[in-house]
Amino acid sequence: MTDAALLRRIERLEALDAIRQLPAKYALALDMRDMDAMVSLFEPEVRVGKGASGRQALRAYMDRTLRAPFTGTSHHIGGHIIEFDAEDRAHGIVYSKNEHETPAAGGADEWVIMQMMYADDYVRVEGRWFFARRLPLYWYATDLNKPPVGPAKMRWPGTEWVEGNFHKLFPSFAEFWAREGDSGAPVAEPAPLDRFLETMRRGQAAPKVQVRATE
């Protein structure tokens, strides 16, 4: 192996480690309500909604959304898959299991549990990796004592129940339930290196997301 090839491998490992720390740092900063620490994980010109951009706009938005609905939160980070699009750009999927203490109608607090994943985009700016975008994909949210069995699994206190988008980025889930058994087709070849997520998505567009609360 040449020195240049070894250097590229070391740089890739360093990039993977830096990106893997971003969701963990995000969870800690969010749960501890350190708004400056949280927004510093995003690129300087991060988009915030349709008409704003930048870390200050993101901080103002998150400050508003974290005050009304919750007393406290805890975000538990799970599996993280990262693939590179270019030397300075990457994307990934990371699981998150979350807990929220939240006031319900009539003043009684509820303990809302949530299962979701993030579809992330990452960018390296001046040698440092940041979030470029976080797309939240929800499966369920409900009070701890009310299992989310059945449709419309997003069940926040004081709101109408709605369907999540946990499975909508990957067409395989709907295809699985649309057939009665194994298709009998030959097993597909393994996905190319750094193309596992792209292969699973098969060109599926990102679903529209109504960002709710901290997620």
Side-chain angles (χ1 to χ4, degrees):
M1 181 182 298
T2 65
D3 290 345
L6 179 60
L7 180 59
R8 286 194 297 272
R9 293 185 67 176
I10 292 173
E11 289 176 344
R12 177 56 57 89
L13 290 172
E14 290 178 340
L16 285 168
D17 183 65
I19 293 171
R20 284 195 179 108
Q21 290 195 50
L22 286 174
K25 291 176 178 178
Y26 175 91
L28 178 63
L30 188 98
D31 293 336
M32 298 301 111
R33 301 300 189 265
D34 191 326
M35 298 293 97
D36 285 346
M38 189 199 66
V39 300
S40 72
L41 300 172
F42 290 80
E43 66 169 317
E45 301 305 318
V46 59
R47 290 183 57 187
V48 184
K50 294 182 179 179
S53 63
R55 290 170 178 159
Q56 188 167 355
L58 178 60
R59 187 183 65 187
Y61 169 78
M62 293 303 297
D63 191 278
R64 291 193 302 272
T65 59
L66 287 169
R67 289 185 181 278
F70 305 122
T71 304
T73 58
S74 180
H75 289 65
H76 306 266
I77 303 304
H80 193 181
I81 302 172
I82 302 164
E83 296 176 355
F84 288 86
D85 305 307
E87 183 178 351
D88 293 322
R89 289 196 171 272
H91 61 274
I93 292 288
V94 57
Y95 273 59
S96 185
K97 187 68 173 288
N98 312 328
E99 302 191 19
H100 316 74
E101 185 178 13
T102 180
D109 286 352
E110 294 191 29
W111 199 271
V112 176
I113 57 174
M114 171 187 282
Q115 178 64 61
M116 63 174 296
M117 68 175 78
Y118 292 97
D120 288 337
D121 292 324
Y122 313 105
V123 61
R124 183 162 56 183
V125 180
E126 296 182 353
R128 184 168 180 175
W129 285 95
F130 298 98
F131 290 117
R133 183 192 185 203
R134 305 212 82 188
L135 177 69
L137 303 174
Y138 308 105
W139 187 17
Y140 65 78
T142 188
D143 182 79
L144 180 64
N145 298 310
K146 301 173 184 177
V149 177
K153 297 180 186 297
M154 294 297 296
R155 303 172 183 179
W156 286 94
T159 66
E160 292 187 8
W161 297 359
V162 297
E163 181 185 5
N165 51 18
F166 189 74
H167 303 100
K168 293 183 179 179
L169 194 64
F170 303 100
S172 55
F173 188 82
E175 292 170 358
F176 178 89
W177 291 110
R179 62 177 185 263
E180 294 184 357
D182 183 72
S183 67
V187 175
E189 291 295 320
L193 186 65
D194 271 359
R195 292 294 178 268
F196 184 81
L197 296 176
E198 180 181 310
T199 303
M200 283 193 64
R201 285 184 65 170
R202 302 202 299 275
Q204 178 74 17
K208 293 184 178 180
V209 174
Q210 293 182 348
V211 178
R212 184 181 294 270
T214 66
E215 319 316 329

